[in-house]
Amino acid sequence: MLALGAVGLLVIWLTIAPSLPSVESLRDVRLQVPLRVYSADDKLMAEIGEQRRLPVRLHEMPDRLKLAFLAAEDDRFYSHPGIDWRGTTRGVWLYARSMGRGRVPGGSTITQQVARRFFLSTDYSVTRKLREILLAVKIERELSKDEIFELYLNKEFLGHRAYGVGAAAQVYYGKTLDELTLAESAMIAALPKAPSRDNPISGPRQAMIRRNWILDRMLRLGYIDEQTHAQARAEPNTARYHGPVVALNAPWITEMVRRDVVGRLGADEAYSGGYSAYTTVQAPLQRAADQAVRDGLQAYDRRHGWRGPERRLDESTMADPEAIAEELERTRAVADLLPAVVLSADEEQAELLVRGGESVRLELDDVTWARPFISADAIGSRPETVSDVLAAGDLVRLRHVGEGWRLAQIPQAEAALVSMDAESGAVVALVGGLDFNRNQFNRVVQSRRQPGSAFKPFIYAAALDNGFTAASVVNDAPVVVNDPSMERAWRPTNFSRRFHGPTRLREAMIHSRNLVSVRLLMDIGIEPARDYISDFGFERAQLPNGPSMALGSASLTPLSMTAAYAVFANGGYAVTPQYLHSVHDGDGRIVLEPEWRRLCRECPDIPPAPEPVVVDDTDNARSDRPRLRRLELNGNMADATDPVDNPALHGPPRPMHAEKVLEPQTAWLIDSMLADVITSGTGRRALALERNDLAGKTGTTNDLRDTWFAGYGGGLVTTVWLGMDDNQTLGRQEQGGRTALPLWVDFMDVALRDRPEYRQPMPVGLAQALINPETGQRTRPGTSGAIEEWFHADNLPPLEESADSRNDADPYDIF
């Protein structure tokens, strides 16, 4: 019988062993770790992947956790050769007694479980069990016990998408391993048996039974003493679900990064390869952007009145407190607007229950804004009592403001805000709407809306480079033009419906005179203007081929407007917006790093790269060898078959410099005009920031559908858009300076706190002269009413005629 047994084992070994996988792969095993996205200041923004895993080295795990697993799964792990013969024999005996009619307990050591998890299926068969046993023996020969144990503790599925003990500690307790109590460690050790069913959240009763059994085993094995055992057994079940610990909520930029990483690595690799993507977003600025958008939308919404409760609960629901709580749980929060049910309301106050169980009292001051909504242009009278607004059973929204709660409602409008560094293009904050979970449409990059007057600076820049000056006088008077892009005659007007006659360009920019912009564009020429403006980063095809382009009829994204305004802010250079800084693998190596175009004012213009010329080496060619193709590069010849080793093809990489698309003198002049928009024009609300380096432009489109403010200061360029997704009007008096600019001010108030004031230095080639503000012509010192203006040094306006003009010097200084 012994001989037959030996022969049988030999046959099994010779039959199965050759088909066993190589154990060597376990030394370099890649655990499936999700993609993690971080801000520039290392705040976790998201964790994306099917499996939550936090790999931990064995020596970093507390002993109590390791002992709990040994007591639960394999207390003889460090003494057996991969197979526990007692357990295996018991399993064989039970299998034989059941005549193979089902699963039987017993036998699987930790090493066998590692073999099954990494290499085998979960099919229940004798063949699979034999392969598992032989593979366990093979693993024990090639890996140390600690290596096997570490693999097991990091690989095992432990319920609720948690793989490995590190993730389980986070999911169930929101702790790191060293923070777990003995009872919590035993609970995690109880999970491998039935992780989906008997975990402490889904099956708390069975989980507690299993936990206490493990604690009892630890006592019997001498791992803990009586007192420790009693204390752990008395500890209640405190487990609850903990999502990823997100330190910065920035879903819009996270989704952009996710798409980029998946596009470059593939979904399977991106979601399981343990990569860390670092963005350019700065946490304090992102939070300020979120708050600015929420506050700005609420301010707009309150101006247009109360549209009533979201819905009204019936009497049977109101009579059941549990039904009210369930109704609130089913109604999710939108941004910072929490659902609440009105329990009672009278003339002086209302009692409400907020989702989460908090009771809130609202008084008349908290609801006085809630005048009835009539239309976008009209609202009703102010409420005189609380009961004019609220009634028992109303489901409404509350917003926490300062020390208390205020009545609110989900805004009908939407907004977008994006801010980037003017010199590097690094996006420091981005908000694509009120609430990502409610609507994933990213208005910063996906929404193309007309920018209105915020587009005018690009028309003015084209004018300054085509013979006009900031003092040029253009008639602000009615004009009728044929617009091919609109297929009809077009009669543009000013927003005020008034006309102001001859107007200097600087004044026209400050007060956003529409007719001046149209006449400028018609003088420059539409096609030359499209060519010129496309250098700011706009797609030429997106620019209308008609004079309406002068008033911002192009459909553009807030991100493209921000990049274009950066040209004015940095002195004439086109920088590409960048939001992904780098992607690192699990070992910290950079695997993806987008190319950045850096601004370098002192760098010479980069010549075009020499193109290699392919020539045929036919001299003395013999018919018995192939003709040699060679590369001629800068006069040097190199074998095309071996370019790597040939010095002729070596050299420093070509620098990635930002392209200069606007002369610095023109950029400086537009900057000075946009600064006057802040001090004297439609952007005066920004004076609240009390800074001298701000510049920008408001924008409002026909029928008050879109409101914009694009501007910069302290080296940051920020654009805000606010409007309706369905392109409906925002209502009377909702202009860029009233609707979008306050969001910009609120954000920049935070963003610029630690940034010193900065203005572009005045470049060489500009001249300052006294001018007559009525004619735009140069005048003499001492002339009454004369003002100073800046010009390109080679494009000064003529000196006003006078009897003694021949004896006077030109009144300007060239810098």
Side-chain angles (χ1 to χ4, degrees):
M1 290 183 66
L2 289 173
L4 287 173
V7 170
L9 290 174
L10 180 61
V11 170
I12 291 172
W13 178 262
L14 294 176
T15 302
I16 298 178
S19 65
L20 295 177
S22 172
V23 177
E24 186 61 30
S25 61
L26 287 177
R27 295 188 182 278
D28 301 314
V29 68
R30 288 186 64 196
L31 299 173
Q32 293 186 346
V33 179
L35 170 67
R36 295 187 175 95
V37 182
Y38 294 90
S39 66
D41 39 1
D42 213 30
K43 299 290 191 297
L44 179 65
M45 295 162 54
E47 187 177 272
I48 309 168
E50 293 183 3
Q51 299 184 7
R52 290 184 61 184
R53 195 188 304 270
L54 296 169
V56 184
R57 302 304 301 268
L58 188 66
H59 68 269
E60 297 173 345
M61 300 179 191
D63 289 340
R64 59 181 174 274
L65 178 72
K66 291 183 281 189
L67 291 173
F69 269 92
L70 291 175
E73 299 294 326
D74 189 0
D75 62 280
R76 290 187 290 275
F77 170 70
Y78 279 96
S79 60
H80 63 60
I83 305 169
D84 184 349
W85 294 110
R86 277 187 280 179
T88 301
T89 302
R90 183 175 67 254
V92 170
W93 170 251
L94 292 174
Y95 183 79
R97 287 189 60 185
S98 68
M99 303 298 290
R101 287 192 296 267
R103 291 179 178 269
V104 296
S108 287
T109 63
I110 284 177
T111 310
Q112 287 175 258
Q113 292 182 57
V114 169
R116 184 166 63 247
R117 296 287 188 270
F118 281 92
F119 297 115
L120 303 175
S121 69
T122 57
D123 295 339
Y124 187 70
S125 67
V126 175
T127 303
R128 198 272 296 162
K129 193 66 176 180
L130 289 173
R131 288 172 60 83
E132 176 187 301
I133 291 171
L134 296 178
L135 190 53
V137 173
K138 192 175 182 180
I139 291 173
E140 288 274 351
R141 288 178 177 177
E142 300 188 29
L143 298 181
S144 70
K145 287 286 189 180
D146 282 352
E147 288 174 322
I148 297 169
F149 199 21
E150 182 177 303
L151 284 171
Y152 171 76
L153 292 173
N154 281 304
K155 175 72 173 178
E156 195 70 13
F157 173 57
L158 300 173
H160 288 282
R161 293 178 51 229
Y163 287 78
V165 293
Q170 175 60 48
V171 166
Y172 293 108
Y173 299 106
K175 298 179 179 181
T176 57
L177 292 179
D178 59 332
E179 295 172 329
L180 295 175
T181 65
L182 174 60
E184 291 166 345
S185 298
M187 182 67 83
I188 290 176
L191 295 171
K193 184 178 180 182
S196 298
R197 185 191 64 198
D198 295 343
N199 65 68
I201 297 175
S202 304
R205 180 175 174 276
Q206 288 299 116
M208 286 293 286
I209 292 172
R210 177 73 175 169
R211 183 203 75 170
N212 291 339
W213 177 84
I214 291 173
L215 290 172
D216 294 345
R217 285 270 298 165
M218 293 180 75
L219 177 62
R220 286 200 303 270
L221 292 169
Y223 295 164
I224 56 176
D225 57 31
E226 290 278 2
Q227 182 179 356
T228 304
H229 169 263
Q231 290 175 346
R233 236 180 174 280
E235 191 172 311
N237 177 18
T238 59
R240 61 181 180 84
Y241 181 76
H242 295 76
V245 184
V246 173
L248 176 64
N249 184 37
W252 308 99
I253 199 85
T254 297
E255 174 61 12
M256 294 166 67
V257 169
R258 184 198 67 80
R259 294 173 64 123
D260 280 4
V261 175
V262 169
R264 300 188 191 192
L265 299 178
D268 290 343
E269 178 68 10
Y271 296 150
S272 62
Y275 294 98
S276 295
Y278 291 89
T279 69
T280 58
V281 168
Q282 298 177 17
L285 274 60
Q286 180 63 36
R287 295 189 184 103
D290 272 322
Q291 194 63 43
V293 166
R294 293 173 178 181
D295 290 346
L297 286 172
Q298 283 298 314
Y300 163 79
D301 206 62
R302 287 161 69 101
R303 287 197 295 271
H304 292 269
W306 172 244
R307 296 185 297 276
E310 288 186 24
R311 60 181 182 273
R312 182 158 292 159
L313 306 188
D314 57 35
E315 292 183 3
S316 61
T317 302
M318 291 300 297
D320 185 353
E322 291 187 2
I324 295 175
E326 290 176 3
E327 193 71 29
L328 288 171
E329 283 301 313
R330 283 196 296 268
T331 308
R332 70 173 195 84
V334 175
D336 57 351
L337 306 175
L338 297 185
V341 171
V342 180
L343 302 178
S344 64
D346 56 28
E347 293 185 354
E348 297 181 354
Q349 64 184 23
E351 297 289 337
L352 297 91
L353 180 67
V354 185
R355 178 181 177 179
E358 183 178 354
S359 295
V360 172
R361 176 180 298 171
L362 295 183
E363 298 179 349
L364 184 59
D365 287 345
D366 301 319
V367 301
T368 49
W369 67 269
R371 301 167 68 177
F373 171 84
I374 298 175
S375 71
D377 297 325
I379 55 177
S381 58
R382 189 181 301 277
E384 296 181 357
T385 66
V386 174
S387 55
D388 289 341
V389 179
L390 301 174
D394 287 352
L395 192 148
V396 297
R397 298 281 171 168
L398 297 184
R399 186 169 188 246
H400 204 271
V401 180
E403 297 297 322
W405 292 92
R406 297 290 183 272
L407 180 66
Q409 59 189 351
I410 299 174
Q412 290 185 322
E414 279 287 359
L417 185 154
V418 57
S419 182
M420 64 178 250
D421 186 274
E423 301 207 350
S424 69
V427 174
V428 297
L430 187 151
V431 178
L434 175 65
D435 188 303
F436 180 82
N437 294 320
R438 179 171 172 246
N439 187 335
Q440 288 81 46
F441 184 63
N442 189 339
R443 295 156 189 83
V444 169
V445 295
Q446 294 177 301
S447 179
R448 291 184 175 273
R449 304 295 289 247
Q450 294 181 349
S453 295
F455 190 79
K456 289 176 181 175
F458 309 113
I459 302 293
Y460 280 61
L464 294 182
D465 281 342
N466 280 273
F468 287 86
T469 72
S472 294
V473 175
V474 177
N475 194 16
D476 178 38
V479 62
V480 178
V481 294
N482 289 321
D483 190 339
S485 67
M486 303 176 71
E487 299 181 352
R488 60 180 172 83
W490 182 47
R491 295 174 173 82
T493 63
N494 288 321
F495 183 83
S496 64
R497 304 289 179 179
R498 296 195 298 269
F499 304 99
H500 302 82
T503 306
R504 286 179 293 111
L505 291 198
R506 184 177 291 272
E507 286 296 307
M509 174 79 87
I510 291 172
H511 300 293
S512 202
R513 303 280 162 76
N514 289 344
L515 281 305
V516 173
S517 298
V518 174
R519 292 178 184 274
L520 285 176
L521 178 59
M522 298 305 293
D523 187 273
I524 297 165
I526 292 171
E527 293 307 315
R530 292 177 76 199
D531 291 338
Y532 182 95
I533 294 171
S534 63
D535 287 342
F536 286 83
F538 300 121
E539 299 176 25
R540 193 179 190 278
Q542 299 295 331
L543 301 176
N545 63 345
S548 64
M549 179 176 66
L551 304 187
S553 63
S555 295
L556 305 171
T557 66
L559 186 62
S560 66
M561 286 289 289
T562 307
Y565 265 73
V567 176
F568 301 134
N570 65 32
Y573 295 86
V575 291
T576 304
Q578 298 279 8
Y579 49 85
L580 177 59
H581 185 275
S582 58
V583 178
H584 300 237
D585 65 14
D587 295 322
R589 294 186 296 265
I590 296 177
V591 295
L592 288 176
E593 191 170 29
E595 293 180 338
W596 289 56
R597 291 189 175 274
R598 306 286 180 176
L599 192 148
C600 181
R601 295 183 180 84
E602 291 76 26
C603 297
D605 292 336
I606 303 172
E611 296 186 5
V613 179
V614 178
V615 297
D616 288 334
D617 184 8
T618 56
D619 296 339
N620 302 318
R622 297 187 327 201
S623 60
D624 61 344
R625 69 177 178 90
R627 293 165 66 184
L628 178 66
R629 299 176 69 251
R630 299 171 71 85
L631 295 175
E632 184 175 359
L633 184 62
N634 294 335
N636 298 316
M637 300 299 293
D639 289 350
T641 56
D642 191 18
V644 176
D645 296 329
N646 197 302
L649 298 182
H650 286 183
R654 290 170 55 77
M656 299 290 290
H657 292 164
E659 180 184 2
K660 184 168 72 174
V661 297
L662 186 66
E663 291 302 319
Q665 295 82 10
T666 303
W668 192 92
L669 289 170
I670 294 295
D671 173 67
S672 73
M673 296 165 78
L674 292 176
D676 284 351
V677 172
I678 301 294
T679 57
S680 309
T682 57
R684 285 189 298 273
R685 286 177 185 263
L687 292 175
L689 296 177
E690 299 182 346
R691 290 177 67 104
N692 297 314
D693 62 341
L694 304 178
K697 185 71 182 73
T698 56
T700 308
T701 59
N702 286 345
D703 299 324
L704 307 172
R705 291 189 176 97
D706 301 276
T707 59
W708 294 73
F709 190 83
Y712 51 88
L716 286 182
V717 188
T718 302
T719 298
V720 172
W721 167 87
L722 193 151
M724 299 284 187
D725 280 343
D726 60 3
N727 212 29
Q728 294 296 309
T729 180
L730 289 167
R732 188 175 55 193
Q733 302 300 321
E734 297 296 347
Q735 308 163 32
R738 185 190 193 197
T739 309
L741 180 54
L743 282 70
W744 190 90
V745 171
D746 287 349
F747 170 76
M748 294 294 267
D749 183 41
V750 176
L752 299 180
R753 283 176 187 171
D754 298 324
R755 287 178 173 256
E757 292 189 6
Y758 175 75
R759 296 211 76 104
Q760 288 294 325
M762 185 177 63
V764 173
L766 290 175
Q768 188 180 42
L770 287 172
I771 64 166
N772 182 335
E774 301 298 325
T775 65
Q777 294 184 332
R778 281 186 293 135
T779 189
R780 293 168 175 75
T783 301
S784 176
I787 61 173
E788 292 181 336
E789 185 56 272
W790 290 93
F791 305 90
H792 284 95
D794 58 357
N795 189 30
L796 291 163
L799 190 65
E800 280 190 327
E801 295 290 337
S802 69
D804 55 352
S805 61
R806 298 177 183 175
N807 299 323
D808 292 334
D810 287 352
Y812 65 88
D813 297 316
I814 297 179
F815 292 82

